[in-house]
Amino acid sequence: MKKVFAIALTALLLVGMLAGCSSAKKEVLTVALSPDFAPMEFVDATKTGQDKYVGFDVSLAKYIAEELGMELEIKPMSFDACQTAVGLGNVDMSISGFSWTEDRAENYNLSDYYHAGDNEDEQTLITLAENAGKYETVESLAGLKVGAQTASLQESLCKEQLPDCELVVVADLTTALMQLRNGDFDVLAVAKGNGDAIIANNSDIAPSGFFFEVDEKYTGNVVLLNKESDELTAKVNEILAKAEAAGLYITWYDEAKATAGIEVSYDDAGNELS
Amino acid sequence: MNFATIGSNIVKLLSQYWKVFLIEGLSNTLLLTVIAVSLGALLGALVAILKMSRFKVIRFLISIYIEVIRGTPILLQLYIFVFALPSLLPFLNLSYFTWTAIALCINSSAYVSEVFRSGIQAVDKGQTEAARSLGLSAGQTMRKIILPQAIRNILPALGNEFIMILKETSLASTFFVGDLMTSYLTVKGATYLGFECLIIVGMIYLCVTFPLSKLVSWFEKKMANPNYKKHDHKRKRAVMEGGKV
């Protein structure tokens, strides 16, 4: 029995050493993201391996890895798991459409803002196609039920700007869509980019015509890093500034939208097309 | 809810993403399940033997192992195996798929060990007494008298464990390991057709689990009725014609 155990342990150590050797070639930047959120990060089913992860945040991750001279490895996991992974130091960072919140700033290192087109700049309400354009003002929304994703920017916006509405909190956008159809609430608060993606694929959903007033600090996304990696955070901020100066954000966003099958709403100069 | 569009959306999704669901998703789900149950059964057998050991300390340690694993949610165990263990064992450079497979193995081993133990203990004590009084050693009694009878209780329960684990692999989608539920997440993330994706994935799960559960219950009957297999032509015919045995 002892012998068997010893042999098993040796084998395990050997495997570990071999695995360790093979990974020591080039430094790898591990980035966690939740690829179920077009156009920010999603899966292109026609591709395999690491190439299948596409979207704005993936372009950004590639750019950061390139600038750092590292090899990018995307670690896909659920949105919750992304935060856990960064907190535990299992990944170097997470780029997954995070908005700035006070709680996050307390527990993580957050980068400077980056702007993914109209995804976070504009926050809107969507509704059933038969109610399209019915709820354009705060007054027309009074007394209605409004859905928003839990712990999201949309939830805080609803509380802040639609005090006369009854807020219904939902777990994720897919469930929210089903609930909207079910009549659990009349309108659903989403970022415009996500709303566009939903409407492009669901003919029974339409914009309500209402837009939230979005405070400057909410309009960007941030990269989530471990509390202890100050050095990397500083480097990421430098890289973000460089990308912004080079005007890369709009290119990436248009690419992501085109891949996701959403009509591109900006021209090359960054002006919105009507 | 508009059922006409749901139908056409499902057709659209299947024609575009059938590979993601059937080739990637289903094969990974089956692979995870086969690994978890087969290695889990081996480990479970070991755990069951130790649980019935003569030494109190070993019995105590093993019951802690079983209670901890059966008493905590599998999602929590997945988190620990995927995030905590790689930090503790940094020299083991394994993929998330491997870690989730190991977690499912360990989880399955706790359940399977109880299946083994109860299967063995369900064999009447008189069998042991009779065997020992006829001069068989403890080992011989176990191998020649108890285990052949215990197998009858164990195998169908193992089949059920397979079906259970098959469904539980869906939790591994938290780490996008490529199983069926991951296919659901990725396709609905790209298309925002969540309900339609759920229906597709549900149908695939059902297409696998339904025949399996039928097979298990057929097997269970056969095991409970040892004569079933013998050359009893009348009985065989009655079964084939759908009659009751």
Side-chain angles (χ1 to χ4, degrees), chain A residues 16 19 23 35-36 38 42-43 45 52 75-78 81 85 88 90 172 174 177-178 194 197-198 201-202, chain B residues 1 17 20 24 79 82-83 87 91-93 96 174-176 184-186 188-195 198:
Chain A
S23 71
D36 55 358
F42 57 104
V43 167
K52 71 181 171 191
K75 298 261 190 185
M77 58 187 78
S78 73
L88 288 171
N90 285 82
D172 65 90
T174 311
L177 220 50
M178 287 183 221
N194 300 123
I198 291 170
N201 283 299
N202 296 274
Chain B
M1 210 156 257
Y17 292 104
V20 181
E24 208 193 314
Y79 263 97
V82 170
F83 286 151
S87 314
F91 54 88
L92 274 180
N93 195 358
Y96 284 174
T174 308
F175 307 102
F176 284 75
Y184 155 73
L185 286 174
T186 52
K188 75 124 198 203
T191 62
Y192 286 94
L193 295 170
F195 189 67
L198 273 181

Side-chain angles (χ1 to χ4, degrees), chain A residues 32-36 43 52-53 75-82 172, chain B residues 20-21 24-26 28-30 32-33 74-79 82-83 96-101 103-104 165-189 198 201 205:
Chain A
L33 49 83
S34 174
D36 55 358
V43 167
K52 71 181 171 191
Y53 304 112
K75 298 261 190 185
M77 58 187 78
S78 73
F79 192 67
D80 285 340
C82 283
D172 65 90
Chain B
V20 181
F21 289 116
E24 208 193 314
L26 185 59
N28 277 324
T29 289
L30 289 177
L32 260 184
T33 313
I74 188 159
L75 185 57
L76 182 146
Q77 291 163 22
L78 285 172
Y79 263 97
V82 170
F83 286 151
Y96 284 174
F97 185 90
T98 317
W99 278 120
T100 48
L104 289 169
I165 289 283
L166 185 95
K167 288 181 287 173
E168 277 173 6
T169 53
S170 63
L171 287 170
S173 67
T174 308
F175 307 102
F176 284 75
V177 293
D179 69 313
L180 256 178
M181 216 57 184
T182 309
S183 314
Y184 155 73
L185 286 174
T186 52
V187 174
K188 75 124 198 203
L198 273 181
V201 169
Y205 273 115

Side-chain angles (χ1 to χ4, degrees), chain A residues 68 73 123 152 159 227 259 273:
Chain A
L68 290 170
E73 190 189 349
Q123 301 287 335
S152 69
K159 278 185 192 157
K227 202 78 193 155
T259 320
L273 300 171

